[in-house]
Amino acid sequence: MNTTETGAIVEVRHLNKSFGPREILRDINFTVRKGDVTTIIGPSGSGKSTLLRCLNLLETPSGGEILFHGQNIGESANIPAYRTKVGMVFQSFNLFSNLTVLENCMLGQRKALKRSKAEAEQKALFYLEKVGMAEYVNAKPSQLSGGQQQRVAIARALAMEPELLLFDEPTSALDPEMVGEVLNVMQKLAAEGMTMIVVTHEMAFARDVSNHVVFMADGVICEEGEPAQLFEQPKSERTAEFLARFRQG
Amino acid sequence: MKKIASLVLALLLFAALPGGLAVSAEGSVLDDNTLTVAMECAYAPYNWTQPDSSNGAVPIKDSADYANGYDVMMAKKIAEALGMELEIVRLDWDSLVPAVQSGTVDCVIAGQSITSERLESVDFTAPYFYASIVGLTRVDSPYAQAQGLSELAGATATSQLGTIWYDGCLPQIPDATILTPQESAPAMLMALETGRANLVVTDIPTAKAALNAYSDFVLLDFNDSEDNFVVSSEDVNIGISVQKGNTELKDAINGVLNTMTEDDYNAMMDEAIAIQPLSDGLPEGFFAQIGYLLQNYGTSYLKGAGITVVIAVICTAIGCVIGLGCGIVQTIPVEKRDGMGKKILLGAARAVLRVYVEVFRGTPMILQAVLIFYGAAFLFGWNLDMWTAALVIVSVNTGAYMAESVRGGILSIPVGQTEGAKAIGLTHVQTMTSIILPQALRNIMPQIGNNLIINIKDTSVLFIIGVAELFSIHKGVVGATYAYFPSAVIEMAIYLGMTLVCSAILRWVEKRMDGESSYALVKQTGGLNAPPYVEHGKPRTGNLDL
């Protein structure tokens, strides 16, 4: 299968990851095409976050391939350059606490993309505006609420203008009343055609916003498909069992 | 006197190493036409420090102060007779032997007695003074009228550490209670003045000088009696030491001494005692004495304080840079995909840094100072400039402590900061310089402050290599005036003042680094104002409404 023909941005083939003797991921295969919004769901400890972290090499895979536009990034010498094209939003925001909101959104543009100060500032402001945080440019991360910090973190990732954006449980560390503001931003991005992979426990988001759902358990992909199919008629017993817990609430 | 300090012993051990035998081959000292003479400048009436050039005092090298006393008079006589320029170097007592041994100075004229131990390390000229042994007591003590050694029975006595007075003479007093030795002559006199001891044993010049400073002291001189301390001539013969094998200089100095008689020596010593700073007596009363010291030595104290601050600040800054470098190397991550070369190089660098940190953190700075300053001259013939040596020693020491602080500071930054930086494509170096180090530096500011304050105090050990910092001023003032307590109180006040000011400045810097506690909103945005996320017209519950 030729990736350029299929429009795939990322193809994962036979990916394995172990920490010492412990196998976290086993033979993971999936493809993300331009404009896809893929959600990865599954019980805690199933390897969802590890898979996401392997995708931008925060974890080094133990085996298999990750193809970015057909090129195996495991063999790529320039990992920082690859990371500028694959943004990441963390569960715990990871904003730089020594920098202001504006500086957070400019640093990567200046250092990794070598954009001019004026251009970096203009882009940073544009994306901060998009997430509704433009008025907070002078604030330090510690002065913001969790929801505000996560929106800035999304703006920081967007300012790099990546081809693909990875979300690692972006709302799990938030108070319930702040979850909405972050999901709202993500929904808008999806609507604008941003290619996204989202690890989440927000089942409604997975069902309503994504166009592809991957269910993982015990380090393998149990089932994947369109949200309507996976949520309404799960093929796997594990999937049905997992989803049942959300229906009882 | 024979004063055997552990430092000298350490140096002698050092010298016994095979490589240590290669004594630096200096050119003939008579050729360069400068006679470099070392002394304590704190051992009145042999030598002392004074703030001006009165009574023919000679400037002290690398200092704003002047030296005078019997040794200075003798040094001037010798230099004049040999047609040489005289240069006086101020060194701590324990550094005198290594200094002449290593060739850092030409000779030592410092009231040293000619002992067989010293003769193993250096060569001595003929005696240039005969220092007979006497006792001192207070006028109100039961021994004030003593006519012989046997009448001192039962005295509570002390003397100076490592001298024949303490080691050889005190045990001759019947039934005496011998206290622990005192670190210097002024300290010994202070013990007598405060009543901790009611008898001290010393030599005649020291005793005569002490009588000037302490009006209630009484001299006990039994030298014309049979009932006296028994000492060998080597214990009372005071000589000038030169580097072993330097017969040229030794013979030249002996030639000058041969023109003088014992009466000439005694007359010159009496003259030295007469022009000693306190020959007219220290004023009565503690505050009057403080006033006297401030008036006469105020500028010396201030200059010493200035040198202390400059060394402490520069060395803390250099130490921080060294510490940053070490801390960064220690925390470079090694990943599986890294090449073998990088792993080996990094491993070797870390091992070297580990040794550096452990050695300099684990040994006293005073010994490091002696080993670096004299060791370099002795082993390799490098005559380090005193200031260079001081800066190197304190910086390298600070660096060893800072390396650990920086490492801790870097480890204290949450891993999420590194991951956040990597995720936007920053390299390791960019991550460190833009994100990790600024935060780590902020976190270790209190430790940097600690190090600065420790350095302000610990530079006091640099007196050992003759740096004219604040503490060495104290030693000099006390050596000249015996005003031990008042000078110590002045020094305490200056040190405390310096550290308090530094603390205040550092707290201000920390506040500046933290920035504003509030922020201003810049403008209202027309962007998304984050209305609540609504699922199918109902507020989000987290559960599926299936």
Side-chain angles (χ1 to χ4, degrees):
Chain A
M1 186 166 66
N2 191 316
T3 50
T4 46
E5 284 169 20
T6 57
I9 295 178
V10 166
E11 250 186 289
V12 177
R13 287 180 185 169
H14 308 298
L15 185 75
N16 290 307
K17 174 67 184 174
S18 323
F19 288 112
R22 217 155 54 86
E23 267 196 319
I24 307 296
L25 297 175
R26 270 202 319 277
D27 195 28
I28 302 288
N29 294 281
F30 71 93
T31 303
V32 174
R33 290 178 187 79
K34 190 166 167 46
D36 274 357
V37 177
T38 304
T39 46
I40 304 176
I41 60 172
S44 297
S46 57
K48 307 185 296 290
S49 288
T50 307
L51 171 57
L52 205 66
R53 290 165 61 83
C54 282
L55 286 182
N56 74 347
L57 297 179
L58 282 180
E59 303 290 351
T60 311
S62 311
E65 297 182 322
I66 298 169
L67 302 181
F68 184 70
H69 293 300
Q71 193 199 348
N72 186 354
I73 55 158
E75 291 158 6
S76 154
N78 199 344
I79 292 163
Y82 165 70
R83 288 187 180 129
T84 63
K85 295 174 188 152
V86 181
M88 177 116 174
V89 175
F90 298 87
Q91 179 178 350
S92 49
F93 330 133
N94 295 349
L95 290 179
F96 308 129
S97 38
N98 57 319
L99 303 179
T100 64
V101 164
L102 187 64
E103 289 163 344
N104 261 277
C105 297
M106 289 172 64
L107 183 69
Q109 300 186 65
R110 300 277 289 131
K111 300 275 177 186
L113 300 179
K114 310 287 178 203
R115 284 181 185 156
S116 72
K117 188 165 182 251
E119 189 188 2
E121 188 170 323
Q122 183 225 321
K123 297 244 187 221
L125 283 171
F126 176 79
Y127 287 104
L128 282 168
E129 184 90 9
K130 202 177 195 65
V131 301
M133 288 298 295
E135 53 194 320
Y136 295 92
V137 285
N138 292 329
K140 287 281 181 71
S142 60
Q143 294 163 330
L144 302 177
S145 74
Q148 289 174 323
Q149 287 191 55
Q150 193 61 297
R151 285 191 279 149
V152 172
I154 293 171
R156 177 177 72 180
L158 288 173
M160 304 297 289
E161 302 186 317
E163 293 181 40
L164 168 66
L165 206 44
L166 310 174
F167 291 82
D168 186 9
E169 303 198 27
T171 57
S172 295
L174 297 177
D175 290 341
E177 66 265 29
M178 294 174 184
V179 171
E181 67 189 59
V182 173
L183 290 181
N184 201 21
V185 168
M186 292 167 62
Q187 190 176 21
K188 278 199 105 178
L189 292 177
E192 288 174 11
M194 184 79 214
T195 312
M196 297 155 60
I197 303 177
V198 185
V199 169
T200 187
H201 290 291
E202 297 291 336
M203 293 306 141
F205 181 88
R207 189 190 58 190
D208 300 341
V209 179
S210 65
N211 58 8
H212 191 77
V213 183
V214 174
F215 174 73
M216 281 183 71
D218 300 326
V220 295
I221 294 179
C222 284
E223 184 172 352
E224 57 179 317
E226 302 219 337
Q229 175 264 313
L230 192 133
F231 279 94
E232 304 304 334
Q233 291 140 354
K235 289 177 210 155
S236 139
E237 224 167 274
R238 271 311 297 271
T239 318
E241 200 182 302
F242 175 75
L243 292 174
R245 270 182 280 154
F246 287 89
R247 292 198 179 88
Q248 285 155 9
Chain B
M1 298 179 314
K2 49 181 183 185
K3 187 164 179 179
I4 312 149
S6 52
L7 288 177
V8 178
L9 283 178
L11 254 281
L12 291 179
L13 285 175
F14 205 53
L17 297 171
L21 296 173
V23 171
S24 65
E26 292 277 304
S28 167
V29 286
L30 299 184
D31 290 347
D32 67 7
N33 213 36
T34 299
L35 185 67
T36 308
V37 179
M39 57 186 71
E40 277 183 290
C41 303
Y43 186 43
Y46 289 100
N47 51 70
W48 65 76
T49 306
Q50 62 185 53
D52 52 49
S53 61
S54 60
N55 301 317
V58 176
I60 300 172
K61 194 189 172 200
D62 291 331
S63 161
D65 295 323
Y66 294 81
N68 211 344
Y70 180 79
D71 292 334
V72 177
M73 295 170 171
M74 186 60 79
K76 279 164 73 175
K77 228 177 185 52
I78 292 168
E80 194 182 335
L82 301 180
M84 296 174 81
E85 289 287 322
L86 176 61
E87 185 175 69
I88 302 279
V89 174
R90 172 164 54 192
L91 284 180
D92 188 64
W93 178 261
D94 294 328
S95 296
L96 294 174
V97 170
V100 76
Q101 208 178 4
S102 63
T104 310
V105 298
D106 295 327
C107 64
V108 165
I109 310 181
Q112 285 180 313
S113 49
I114 305 167
T115 64
S116 46
E117 282 95 343
R118 286 203 187 106
L119 280 168
E120 285 170 17
S121 312
V122 294
D123 283 350
F124 269 99
T125 64
Y128 75 104
F129 192 73
Y130 303 93
S132 51
I133 308 282
V134 295
L136 274 176
T137 188
R138 285 189 314 278
V139 70
D140 58 357
S141 108
Y143 307 103
Q145 307 300 324
Q147 296 299 317
L149 177 61
S150 55
E151 291 177 37
L152 300 179
T156 304
T158 189
S159 189
Q160 191 180 349
L161 177 71
T163 58
I164 184 64
W165 317 328
Y166 189 88
D167 298 332
C169 298
L170 290 187
Q172 297 179 31
I173 305 170
D175 303 323
T177 307
I178 299 176
L179 304 177
T180 50
Q182 299 293 314
E183 55 96 9
S184 65
M188 160 185 88
L189 299 175
M190 186 49 61
L192 180 61
E193 169 72 2
T194 56
R196 288 185 53 213
N198 54 23
L199 178 75
V200 298
V201 173
T202 181
D203 65 2
I204 186 88
T206 311
K208 278 187 176 170
L211 291 179
N212 277 335
Y214 296 100
S215 52
D216 57 343
F217 282 7
V218 176
L219 181 69
L220 305 170
D221 187 349
F222 314 135
N223 282 297
D224 297 331
S225 152
E226 288 293 300
D227 191 10
N228 190 18
F229 296 103
V230 179
V231 287
S232 65
S233 63
E234 84 163 19
D235 294 324
V236 295
N237 290 356
I238 308 294
I240 296 170
S241 57
V242 299
Q243 193 176 31
K244 247 193 173 341
N246 190 351
T247 46
E248 188 186 4
L249 181 62
K250 189 174 117 179
D251 294 346
I253 293 175
N254 276 335
V256 180
L257 293 179
N258 278 340
T259 65
M260 302 175 76
T261 66
E262 191 172 345
D263 286 343
D264 291 336
Y265 296 157
N266 288 334
M268 202 157 105
M269 182 60 86
D270 286 344
E271 191 192 339
I273 292 170
I275 62 166
Q276 200 189 338
L278 281 188
S279 53
D280 48 354
L282 201 62
E284 287 294 319
F286 181 70
F287 292 104
Q289 290 180 355
I290 286 189
Y292 174 88
L293 290 184
L294 287 179
Q295 195 183 341
N296 288 279
Y297 294 94
T299 31
S300 299
Y301 282 121
L302 285 184
K303 280 174 188 157
I307 288 170
T308 290
V309 164
V310 167
I311 293 178
V313 168
I314 292 178
C315 292
T316 306
I318 299 176
C320 283
V321 174
I322 296 175
L324 271 178
C326 296
I328 290 170
V329 171
Q330 299 272 24
T331 50
I332 292 174
V334 180
E335 284 165 37
K336 236 191 260 163
R337 58 174 170 266
D338 289 333
M340 210 54 203
K342 179 183 170 188
K343 283 179 186 166
I344 291 171
L345 206 67
L346 210 55
R350 281 181 185 165
V352 169
L353 291 182
R354 202 68 243 153
V355 170
Y356 157 63
V357 167
E358 295 301 343
V359 166
F360 280 90
R361 224 172 36 156
T363 54
M365 193 157 81
I366 191 166
L367 287 178
Q368 295 165 14
V370 171
L371 283 179
I372 291 178
F373 190 55
Y374 299 110
F378 200 92
L379 293 178
F380 311 112
W382 299 339
N383 262 321
L384 285 182
D385 172 34
M386 179 176 84
W387 298 110
T388 314
L391 290 178
V392 166
I393 291 155
V394 183
S395 300
V396 163
N397 221 281
T398 311
Y401 281 95
M402 286 308 300
E404 288 298 281
S405 296
V406 170
R407 197 168 70 87
I410 291 173
L411 292 179
S412 77
I413 306 302
V415 68
Q417 295 288 308
T418 310
E419 294 192 340
K422 278 183 173 175
I424 55 171
L426 296 197
T427 62
H428 178 70
V429 172
Q430 289 169 337
T431 305
M432 288 304 274
T433 53
S434 298
I435 304 300
I436 305 301
L437 289 182
Q439 295 184 48
L441 267 181
R442 168 64 190 90
N443 287 354
I444 62 170
M445 269 309 283
Q447 272 117 304
I448 293 176
N450 250 347
N451 264 299
L452 177 58
I453 284 170
I454 288 171
N455 277 347
I456 286 176
K457 296 183 298 172
D458 282 6
T459 47
S460 58
V461 305
L462 295 175
F463 75 84
I464 199 89
I465 58 168
V467 177
E469 45 69 50
L470 187 52
F471 184 70
S472 79
I473 303 293
H474 167 69
K475 291 199 83 150
V477 169
V478 167
T481 66
Y482 298 144
Y484 205 95
F485 275 162
S487 178
V489 167
I490 291 170
E491 292 257 324
M492 291 278 276
I494 298 175
Y495 273 117
L496 187 61
M498 290 195 295
T499 55
L500 287 179
V501 168
C502 283
S503 297
I505 292 174
L506 283 160
R507 271 199 301 275
W508 178 79
V509 170
E510 279 186 42
K511 253 185 143 164
R512 281 291 304 267
M513 288 175 90
D514 287 342
E516 297 290 317
S517 59
S518 62
Y519 57 91
L521 294 179
V522 284
K523 58 172 181 178
Q524 287 301 313
T525 85
L528 177 148
N529 279 320
Y533 179 72
V534 173
E535 297 159 1
H536 306 296
K538 283 181 282 178
R540 199 193 66 88
T541 61
N543 296 326
L544 286 176
D545 50 345
L546 294 170

